Amino acid sequence: MSHLKRLSSGVALAALSLSMVGWSGSAFAQSTGSQQAEAELIIVTAARSRTTAGLIEAEKTPKTRSTITAEYIATQPAGQTVFQSLNLVPGLNFTNSDPYGSSGGNVRLRGFDGNRISLTVDGIPLNDTGNYAIFTNQQLDPEYITRTTVNTGTTDVDSPSASATGGTINLRMRKPDEKMGFRATASAGSYGYGRGLLSFDTGAFGPWGTTAFIGGSYQSYNKFKGPGELEKKQYNARIFQKLNDTDFLSLSFHYNENRNAFYRNGSLAQWAFYGPNFDNLDTCTRVAPVAGTAQNDGASTAPANANFQTATDNPANPSSCTNYFGLRINPSNTGNIRGSSNFQLAPNLRLTVDPTYQYVLANGGGTTVVNENDRRLRGAGLVLTGTGAIAAGVDLNGDGDVLDSVRLYTPNTTNTNRVGVNASLIWDINDTNRLRFAYTFDYGRHRQTGEFTRLDAQGNPLNVFGGRDGPKVNGVDGSFLRGRDRFSIAQLNQFAIDYNGLFFEDKLRLNVGVRAPFFERQLDQRCFSQNGSSNVLCTTETPSATLANGNVTFVSQGTNQYIAPYKATRKYDAVLPNISASYEFIENNSVYASYAEGFSAPRTDNLYTPLRGATGGILLNNAVPETTQSFDLGYRYQGTDLTGSIAFWNTKYENRIVSAFDENLGISVDRNVGAVDLSGVDLELGYRLGKRFTAYASASFNDSEVKNNVPLSATTSLPTGGKKLVETPDTTYGLRLQYAIDGLTLGVQGKYVSERFSTDINDEKSPAYSVVDLDASYDFDSLGVKNTILQVNIINLFDEGYYGNISSTNNALTIANVSTVTGTTVARTGSAPSYALGAPRTLQVTLKTKF
C-alpha cells in the first residue's frame, strides 16, 4: 500500500494542526486547495529533518522554496513587518524604511520589484488591484503568523494573481488554541516606541467544539529623524469549526489602521551637505536655509535641488509652507475577511472553497497651490467677496478677496472593495496519482479620487483623506475641486489543472500543471484627459471649442487639447504551464527541476493615457502583458540535523513595461520595450547541534542584463542595453547563529548587501552595506513563572550608516545620447535619484506572557 493510502486518515490533522509533522516542508503553501493537494505527499518524508530554529525546513515540493516559521519570527522585534523576518531568505532583499516597520519598505525577489511579486495571506491576494503594489506595513501582526513561504521565481498553479512574474510570498495565520487563555505582549524601545498586544483564545466551546480567538494591538513611536510620529492599530480574529475527521470551516478577520508621517529622502548630494538629520520641516512657518547657507555639516553651499521653503514664502500665511511634516503623511485603513473550508465529498474526492472580501482606503498625502480665481472654482460664475465687490473666484483663506494663491491638501486617495473566491476539486485517482481542478475569481472595484480640502491654521489637513471624508472645496457652480476622478474594475477569472504523482517507490515526484488567467480592466475616466498625457482636468467648465478630431479646448487652458470623459475595456489572457519534478537518488539527497511561466497584465495607471487618433477615435495604451519563463535546477540535502539546498536559475523576462517614447504617437507612454535576462545561484544551509546551537546561512548571486535601449524621443534612446536592473544587488549573504542554555537564548544575525544601481543606465549606485542584529530572551519557567519571556532586540548593532530604499531615475549625470536618425550626439540632463537612510542602532525590550 502506498504512502498516500496509508496516510489518508491523517489528512485532516495535516490540514489543521500547526504542530504536526504534516505542516513540515512546502505543505500549506497558499490556498486550502494547495494545502490539501500537497499535504499527504509531504507527510511521508517530513519527519526526517527538523527545522533550524524556524529558518529552514524540509521542502519536498520540486520548486525553489524557502520557509520561515513562528519559532524564528518570535525572535525578531515585536510588531516588526514579516518582510524584515524574510530578509535572510536567499534571493530576497528587503530594505526597511524604519527600525520597526510601520513606514513600509521595498522588496526585491531575484531582481523583480514588489509590484511583480504575488503576496497572499491564507491564499487571498493582497497586491493592490490597480498597480499591484505591496504594502509591507499593513501585514498581519507577527504573533499571528505561523509560517511564511517564498516561492522564488515561480507560483503555485492556483496562485490568484495577475502580476506574479517574480514569484510568490505566502503568509499563514495561526489556528485558535484548543485551551482557553490570553496572550499579551508589551514593548518599549528607542524613539519613544511603545506597543501592546492582547489576544484571547476561547478554547473549545459549544456542542461542536468550536475554537476562536480575537486580539488587538496598538503601536506608536517617533521617527528616528525629523518630526512626526507613526501609529498603528490592528485587530485580528479567527473562528474554526471542525466538522468531522476531514472537513472543516474557518473564518478569519483582519483590520489595520496606519497613520504615518513620511521620512524625507534625499540625493547623495543632499545627504552629503545636510547630514543624517535632513528631513521635513517641523512647523508650517519655518523658513529653512537656502542655497549658500550652512546647515548641519557646516558646508557653505546647499545643493541646488534642496527644495526647502525659502525666504520668499510668506510666513504670515501658514498654508504657503512646503515640506511640512503634517502634510507628508501616509494614512491607510485596510481590512479583509477570509473564509476557508474543506469537504470530503467521497472517499477520493474533496472540495475546498475560500471566499474573501477586502477593503482599502489609503493615500500618500500631497499639496497643491491653487489660485482663488482658478477656473475650476468659478466656472463661468461670479462670487460676492467680503467687501461687497463682485469678482470671479472663491475666497479660500477668508481674507475678503479672491486674489491669493493658497495651499490646499490634495491627496490621491484610493478606495478598493474587492471580493473573490478560490475553489479546488481534488480527485485521488488512485493511491499515487492526484488531479486537481482549480478556479479563481477576483473582482476589485477601484475608486481613485483626489478631492481637495483646506488646511487649518497650523497647516494641517482638516481630514487625512482630504475632501473624501472631510470638507470639500466647492466652486461657485456647486462642483468640488479635485485632481483625479476615475473608477476602474479589475476582474480575474482563472482556471487551473494540476497533476501530482509518485513513482519508483515514491522517490520520483512529478507535478504538472497549467493555469489560464483571463483578466479584464474596465476603465471609467470622469475628468478631461490632456491629449497624449496622463494629466487630467476635472472641471465643470464648458469647453470653448470642439476640434475636427473630436478633442475639446478650454479658454482657461489655452491651446491644450483634451479628450472628454470616456469608458473603455482592456482584456488580457494567457496559458501558463507549471512543471516540476524531483528525484531522491540517495536517502536524504534529491535533485529537482522546474519550469514555470509568469504573467503580469498592464496596471491601471498604465492605461489612463489616451490619445485622439487622426480619424477621431480614442487610442488607449496597447502594451501587452509582461511574461517570464523561469527555469530552476536544484539539489537538496535534508538530514536530521543538517539541511541545505542550492538552486541554479534563469529567467527570461519579456515585454518589459516602462514609460518610453512612441514614435508613431509622438509622446511618451507606458509600453513594452523588450527583454531582460536574469540568472543566478541561491544557497541555503541550516545546522542544528543538539538542542542548544543552531546555525543558518544563505547566499545569492544575481546577474541581470537589459537587452534594449529605451526610446526617449523620435530621435534618441536611453542607452540601457547591456545594463543591469536598478535596485538589485548582485550579491547578498545572510547568517544567523543561535545558542540556548537554561532558559536563555542568544541570537545574532547579519546580512551583507552589495552595491545597487540607482539609475537605468547605471551611472550612479548605492554603496554596499552590512547590518548586524542581536536578540536575547529569557524564559522564566526555571524560576517558576510559567509562559513568560523577557526579550531584548538590538537592531543595527554596530550603527552602520547605509542607504535603504532607492527612488531610481533614468540617469543621474548628463549623458550623450546618439540620435537614431542623424547619428548626432544629443545631451540629456540627469535627474538625481533619492535615497532613504537605513535605520540607526535601535533598542527594543519586550515582555511576552500567556495565561
Side-chain angles (χ1 to χ4, degrees):
M1 183 181 293
S2 77
H3 291 305
L4 284 175
K5 181 61 71 178
R6 288 199 304 266
L7 291 167
S8 61
S9 63
V11 176
L13 289 177
L16 307 181
S17 172
L18 299 182
S19 59
M20 295 297 289
V21 70
W23 276 88
S24 181
S26 57
F28 308 92
Q30 196 175 117
S31 66
T32 305
S34 287
Q35 297 170 29
Q36 294 293 317
E38 294 180 4
E40 293 176 355
L41 295 175
I42 302 303
I43 293 176
V44 297
T45 52
R48 293 179 182 172
S49 62
R50 295 180 294 178
T51 178
T52 304
L55 260 175
I56 189 171
E57 290 198 334
E59 303 285 355
K60 297 300 180 180
T61 293
K63 299 177 182 178
T64 302
R65 179 181 288 179
S66 298
T67 300
I68 66 171
T69 71
E71 182 181 1
Y72 170 66
I73 295 172
T75 67
Q76 301 304 289
Q80 180 60 268
T81 172
V82 68
F83 279 81
Q84 183 63 31
S85 299
L86 287 169
N87 210 16
L88 296 184
V89 168
L92 185 148
N93 189 56
F94 177 68
T95 50
N96 218 344
S97 296
D98 70 39
Y100 301 115
S102 280
S103 291
N106 182 32
V107 61
R108 287 267 167 173
L109 189 60
R110 286 187 176 177
F112 289 91
D113 58 10
N115 303 53
R116 294 174 169 92
I117 302 167
S118 173
L119 174 65
T120 66
V121 58
D122 295 337
I124 78 164
L126 296 180
N127 298 71
D128 182 85
T129 57
N131 61 11
Y132 309 132
I134 287 175
F135 301 102
T136 63
N137 60 342
Q138 299 167 15
Q139 304 312 307
L140 291 177
D141 277 336
E143 289 88 346
Y144 300 103
I145 300 175
T146 184
R147 67 200 308 104
T148 300
T149 60
V150 179
N151 284 0
T152 317
T154 62
T155 67
D156 292 320
V157 75
D158 69 339
S159 290
S161 173
S163 63
T165 51
T168 62
I169 298 173
N170 313 305
L171 315 181
R172 295 295 304 174
M173 185 185 236
R174 75 170 180 91
K175 270 185 58 196
D177 289 344
E178 293 289 337
K179 293 179 62 177
M180 180 186 296
F182 288 88
R183 304 184 187 197
T185 301
S187 302
S190 305
Y191 314 111
Y193 181 86
R195 178 178 184 264
L197 177 143
L198 180 65
S199 66
F200 170 65
D201 283 80
T202 64
F205 68 93
W208 305 294
T210 308
T211 57
F213 73 74
I214 185 170
S217 68
Y218 176 80
Q219 174 179 277
S220 176
Y221 57 97
N222 301 319
K223 292 163 52 183
F224 66 80
K225 69 179 183 74
E229 296 180 345
L230 301 106
E231 181 185 56
K232 180 166 73 171
K233 303 172 186 176
Q234 188 172 128
Y235 306 93
N236 290 279
R238 185 174 187 181
I239 185 168
F240 190 92
Q241 181 62 62
K242 183 177 179 180
L243 302 178
N244 52 45
D245 287 342
T246 60
D247 299 352
F248 66 88
L249 294 169
S250 176
L251 188 66
S252 303
F253 170 82
H254 168 78
Y255 179 76
N256 187 90
E257 186 175 287
N258 278 65
R259 297 294 182 266
N260 297 336
F262 277 120
Y263 288 90
R264 187 173 183 183
N265 299 337
S267 66
L268 294 180
Q270 287 174 315
W271 289 123
F273 178 79
Y274 292 117
N277 294 321
F278 177 60
D279 207 81
N280 296 309
L281 303 179
D282 54 3
T283 62
C284 208
T285 56
R286 173 184 169 191
V287 178
V290 296
T293 303
Q295 180 180 349
N296 294 327
D297 62 357
S300 60
T301 304
N305 58 349
N307 198 29
F308 263 137
Q309 178 187 0
T310 67
T312 58
D313 290 316
N314 178 13
N317 181 359
S319 296
S320 69
C321 66
T322 58
N323 291 309
Y324 169 52
F325 83 94
L327 298 172
R328 300 280 294 119
I329 57 176
N330 180 210
S332 64
N333 299 343
T334 59
N336 57 67
I337 300 173
R338 313 182 303 278
S340 61
S341 61
N342 181 74
F343 304 100
Q344 193 80 38
L345 304 180
N348 63 342
L349 189 65
R350 277 170 285 164
L351 173 67
T352 69
V353 181
D354 296 352
T356 65
Y357 167 74
Q358 295 186 67
Y359 176 84
V360 174
L361 177 65
N363 68 58
T367 68
T368 303
V369 174
V370 176
N371 193 287
E372 290 180 322
N373 61 16
D374 190 294
R375 193 63 175 253
R376 291 173 297 174
L377 287 170
R378 62 185 174 88
L382 301 176
V383 65
L384 182 65
T385 70
T387 61
I390 299 295
V394 172
D395 184 6
L396 296 175
N397 58 3
D399 66 353
D401 63 44
V402 289
L403 305 175
D404 305 311
S405 293
V406 178
R407 185 171 296 278
L408 301 175
Y409 179 61
T410 59
N412 282 330
T413 297
T414 295
N415 181 211
T416 301
N417 285 275
R418 186 176 186 178
V419 295
V421 64
N422 273 3
S424 289
L425 187 65
I426 303 168
W427 175 31
D428 290 331
I429 302 171
N430 54 37
D431 293 346
T432 57
N433 296 274
R434 176 177 296 133
L435 195 63
R436 174 166 60 129
F437 302 91
Y439 170 71
T440 296
F441 174 72
D442 186 18
Y443 180 87
R445 296 170 62 86
H446 197 67
R447 189 76 169 93
Q448 296 174 291
T449 58
E451 297 103 327
F452 295 7
T453 196
R454 292 178 173 84
L455 309 179
D456 65 17
Q458 288 73 43
N460 298 302
L462 297 181
N463 187 284
V464 294
F465 293 110
R468 181 192 183 278
D469 292 346
K472 290 180 170 59
V473 177
N474 293 311
V476 176
D477 58 359
S479 66
F480 59 92
L481 195 60
R482 60 204 187 278
R484 184 175 70 167
D485 191 351
R486 62 197 193 196
F487 171 73
S488 309
I489 292 176
Q491 180 173 301
L492 173 68
N493 283 277
Q494 178 175 277
F495 303 88
I497 186 169
D498 184 32
Y499 166 78
N500 282 275
L502 295 174
F503 304 91
F504 305 116
E505 298 181 344
D506 301 343
K507 293 185 179 297
L508 176 65
R509 297 169 180 270
L510 179 64
N511 175 252
V512 180
V514 62
R515 66 185 181 103
F518 296 85
F519 189 69
E520 178 179 295
R521 288 201 185 278
Q522 298 177 26
L523 313 174
D524 183 0
Q525 176 59 268
R526 299 177 179 182
C527 294
F528 290 88
S529 303
Q530 189 169 345
N531 196 35
S533 171
S534 59
N535 296 328
V536 296
L537 178 65
C538 302
T539 183
T540 59
E541 179 184 358
T542 302
S544 58
T546 301
L547 307 180
N549 64 359
N551 287 350
V552 298
T553 60
F554 296 87
V555 171
S556 61
Q557 304 301 317
T559 60
N560 289 331
Q561 296 185 27
Y562 290 87
I563 295 172
Y566 63 89
K567 296 181 180 181
T569 299
R570 282 288 181 266
K571 296 182 179 181
Y572 311 93
D573 58 78
V575 177
L576 307 171
N578 197 313
I579 305 168
S580 58
S582 66
Y583 182 69
E584 187 179 32
F585 57 94
I586 303 175
E587 185 176 8
N588 300 332
N589 293 267
S590 62
V591 292
Y592 69 91
S594 69
Y595 170 78
E597 294 187 7
F599 158 92
S600 182
R603 306 167 193 175
T604 298
D605 290 346
N606 295 151
L607 302 176
Y608 280 110
T609 308
L611 180 73
R612 181 74 68 177
T615 60
I618 298 177
L619 304 177
L620 295 181
N621 191 295
N622 61 354
V624 300
E626 299 176 334
T627 61
T628 53
Q629 297 176 314
S630 297
F631 305 84
D632 277 58
L633 180 64
Y635 162 78
R636 291 181 177 131
Y637 176 81
Q638 298 182 143
T640 302
D641 296 313
L642 180 65
T643 303
S645 66
I646 181 171
F648 301 89
W649 60 272
N650 176 263
T651 297
K652 302 294 184 183
Y653 177 18
E654 302 289 342
N655 301 324
R656 181 179 176 228
I657 297 176
V658 301
S659 180
F661 185 81
D662 190 303
E663 292 188 18
N664 295 323
L665 302 179
I667 58 171
S668 289
V669 297
D670 290 304
R671 56 173 289 186
N672 303 106
V673 296
V676 182
D677 280 354
L678 301 103
S679 59
V681 182
D682 293 332
L683 302 98
E684 194 172 25
L685 183 68
Y687 177 67
R688 177 188 293 272
L689 180 61
K691 296 181 179 180
R692 293 184 175 179
F693 178 76
T694 60
Y696 172 85
S698 65
S700 292
F701 306 95
N702 184 304
D703 182 59
S704 62
E705 182 182 358
V706 179
K707 291 297 186 179
N708 305 91
N709 291 339
V710 175
L712 295 173
S713 69
T715 59
T716 63
S717 295
L718 190 71
T720 54
K723 307 299 183 182
K724 296 181 180 296
L725 287 177
V726 295
E727 305 178 46
T728 302
D730 287 344
T731 306
T732 60
Y733 299 107
L735 176 67
R736 178 173 172 84
L737 305 176
Q738 182 172 307
Y739 184 77
I741 182 172
D742 297 332
L744 178 65
T745 301
L746 298 174
V748 61
Q749 63 188 47
K751 181 160 184 179
Y752 166 81
V753 178
S754 66
E755 297 174 335
R756 295 164 293 155
F757 287 109
S758 52
T759 66
D760 291 326
I761 69 164
N762 298 172
D763 64 348
E764 187 172 294
K765 57 189 176 183
S766 175
Y769 64 90
S770 298
V771 175
V772 176
D773 300 333
L774 180 70
D775 57 89
S777 64
Y778 185 76
D779 189 333
F780 289 92
D781 183 71
S782 61
L783 300 179
V785 181
K786 301 294 184 181
N787 301 320
T788 300
I789 296 174
L790 180 66
Q791 181 171 310
V792 176
N793 290 87
I794 302 178
I795 303 162
N796 194 0
L797 177 65
F798 299 114
D799 205 21
E800 170 90 347
Y802 67 100
Y803 298 120
N805 297 339
I806 302 173
S807 296
S808 55
T809 62
N810 285 337
N811 56 292
L813 307 175
T814 299
I815 61 171
N817 288 346
V818 177
S819 169
T820 57
V821 176
T822 64
T824 58
T825 299
V826 180
R828 174 179 172 80
T829 303
S831 175
S834 62
Y835 304 81
L837 282 191
R841 183 188 297 119
T842 303
L843 172 68
Q844 183 193 72
V845 180
T846 300
L847 183 66
K848 308 175 184 179
T849 186
K850 295 174 64 176
F851 55 94

